[in-house]
Amino acid sequence: MTSTVTETVRTDDGVRLWATRSGWADADPLVLCHGGPGLWDTLEDVAELFAGRAAVYRWDQRGCGRSERRGPYSVAWSVADLDAVRRHFGLESMTLLGHSWGARLALHYALAHPERVTRLVYVSGTGIDAEADWHPQYARKLRAALGEGLPRWEALRARASRTEAEEREMCVLQWSADFAGPDRERARALAERMATPWRGVNFECNAAVNAELRSHNAHQLRAACGVLRVPVVIVDGAQDIRPREAVDSLERALRNVRRVRLEGAGHMPWAEDPEGFAGAVAA
C-alpha cells in the first residue's frame, strides 16, 4: 500500500538531512537527487509520476532547504550523504534519478558505488567536459530567454546584498528561462511554483561545489565512465537553454546507455511533457 514518511537522516559527520519516502513501500526504490547546488528538493511532481510503481525517496542536500545548514560542501560529501540516505532507509540497491547538478551527483555516486545502483536516469545534466565548453552559449541563451525581465535580473544579480524577497525574485526570473515555449507568463508561473515555499539558496554551497566541478579532469571522468556497467538513460529537453551537445561526450563514454530527447520540453522536462518523461524513464 502507498504511504508517506518523513525522517531525519544523519550523515557520517552528523549533519541532519531532511528526507521523505512516498509511493509503494515494498516496490523497487527510486531515489531522486535535486539540482543546484545550493537548492532544495523541487521534484515532488517527479515523485508523483512514479508513486504508483515505485517507492520514491527525496532529500534535501546538506546545507539546503529543510536540511541542517552546515558544511563542509564538496562532491565527496554529497556522494557520502546520498549513501547515508540509502543506508538510513535500508536500501541494498536503488534506481537513481538526478536532475541538473543532481544528475552529476548521481553519476559520481554510480562511479563510486556501482554495486548499489541498478539504473541511472540522467536528466538535464551538463555532461563531463569543461564548463568553458558550454557555459558561454548557456549565458547567451539565458539572457535572450529573459527578454523584458533581463534588466531587472541583471540589477538584482549585481547587488552586493539582497533581501529575501529580492533573492526569490531574482531566482524566479532566472528559472522562468528554463521552461520552453513562447508563453512566458506560463513559464513565470511554473518558476513561481518552484519557488513556493521559498527555502533560500545556499550560495556558499553553490560556490564551493561548482568550483570543485570546474577543477575535475574531464579525461579521467571519461575513462571512469567507460568502465561503468550500470544501465543509464539520458533524458534531454530539446529546448533546454543549456546546450545538449555538452552531454555528447558522456553518452559516447558510457557502455550501456540510451538517450531520449523530448522535443517540447526545457530544463524541467517532466513539467512540460510529463507523459513523454514518464515513458522515457519507465522504459
Side-chain angles (χ1 to χ4, degrees), residues 151-162 165-171 173:
R152 177 61 174 167
W153 175 79
E154 289 183 325
L156 290 168
R157 189 165 177 259
R159 292 183 182 178
S161 62
R162 290 178 291 269
E166 288 171 337
E167 183 180 298
R168 183 183 185 278
E169 181 187 0
M170 181 186 72
C171 289
L173 281 169

Side-chain angles (χ1 to χ4, degrees), residues 56-111:
V56 185
Y57 300 83
R58 297 160 37 224
W59 56 298
D60 283 346
Q61 293 161 29
R62 70 164 54 206
C64 303
R66 291 148 287 193
S67 291
E68 184 179 1
R69 205 173 183 91
R70 176 158 70 92
Y73 305 113
S74 70
V75 174
W77 273 116
S78 299
V79 169
D81 293 350
L82 174 51
D83 200 52
V85 172
R86 178 195 64 79
R87 295 195 311 268
H88 177 88
F89 287 105
L91 308 179
E92 288 298 317
S93 61
M94 55 193 169
T95 294
L96 275 182
L97 186 155
H99 170 250
S100 196
W101 140 248
R104 181 70 172 261
L105 168 56
L107 175 65
H108 279 280
Y109 185 91
L111 294 173

Side-chain angles (χ1 to χ4, degrees), residues 24-278:
W24 291 92
D26 297 328
D28 289 341
L30 169 65
V31 178
L32 308 183
C33 299
H34 66 77
L39 301 181
W40 59 93
D41 175 84
T42 58
L43 301 177
E44 299 96 327
D45 291 346
V46 176
E48 289 181 11
L49 278 175
F50 300 104
R53 65 187 88 180
V56 185
Y57 300 83
R58 297 160 37 224
W59 56 298
D60 283 346
Q61 293 161 29
R62 70 164 54 206
C64 303
R66 291 148 287 193
S67 291
E68 184 179 1
R69 205 173 183 91
R70 176 158 70 92
Y73 305 113
S74 70
V75 174
W77 273 116
S78 299
V79 169
D81 293 350
L82 174 51
D83 200 52
V85 172
R86 178 195 64 79
R87 295 195 311 268
H88 177 88
F89 287 105
L91 308 179
E92 288 298 317
S93 61
M94 55 193 169
T95 294
L96 275 182
L97 186 155
H99 170 250
S100 196
W101 140 248
R104 181 70 172 261
L105 168 56
L107 175 65
H108 279 280
Y109 185 91
L111 294 173
H113 304 285
E115 74 285 357
R116 298 296 186 188
V117 182
T118 54
R119 307 168 195 85
L120 171 61
V121 185
Y122 184 97
V123 182
S124 303
T126 54
I128 55 176
D129 290 340
E131 182 182 287
D133 292 346
W134 61 267
H135 197 273
Q137 184 179 347
Y138 160 70
R140 289 192 298 272
K141 288 185 173 182
L142 170 62
R143 283 166 169 77
L146 286 171
E148 295 179 354
L150 177 60
R152 177 61 174 167
W153 175 79
E154 289 183 325
L156 290 168
R157 189 165 177 259
R159 292 183 182 178
S161 62
R162 290 178 291 269
T163 66
E164 185 174 318
E166 288 171 337
E167 183 180 298
R168 183 183 185 278
E169 181 187 0
M170 181 186 72
C171 289
V172 168
L173 281 169
Q174 182 165 331
W175 296 346
S176 70
D178 284 327
F179 295 95
D183 189 345
R184 302 325 296 165
E185 287 189 12
R186 176 178 178 271
R188 179 66 180 259
L190 289 170
E192 285 279 0
R193 184 164 180 251
M194 282 180 60
T196 306
W198 177 251
R199 304 194 188 279
V201 179
N202 187 330
F203 289 103
E204 178 189 358
C205 171
N206 180 276
V209 173
N210 277 330
E212 182 183 348
L213 291 175
R214 285 191 289 270
S215 73
H216 283 177
N217 185 299
H219 177 74
Q220 291 177 349
L221 270 173
R222 284 194 294 272
C225 291
V227 298
L228 183 67
R229 296 183 178 274
V230 173
V232 180
V233 58
I234 297 172
V235 183
D236 294 321
Q239 305 305 312
D240 194 335
I241 58 176
R242 294 152 189 80
R244 293 299 81 209
E245 58 267 25
V247 189
D248 291 353
S249 66
L250 171 62
E251 181 185 12
R252 289 192 297 267
L254 293 167
R255 303 180 65 168
N256 187 358
V257 61
R258 180 171 57 91
R259 192 166 182 179
V260 179
R261 177 183 172 98
L262 300 176
E263 293 300 329
H267 193 56
M268 271 68 73
W270 61 87
E272 294 166 301
D273 186 1
E275 184 176 342
F277 180 79

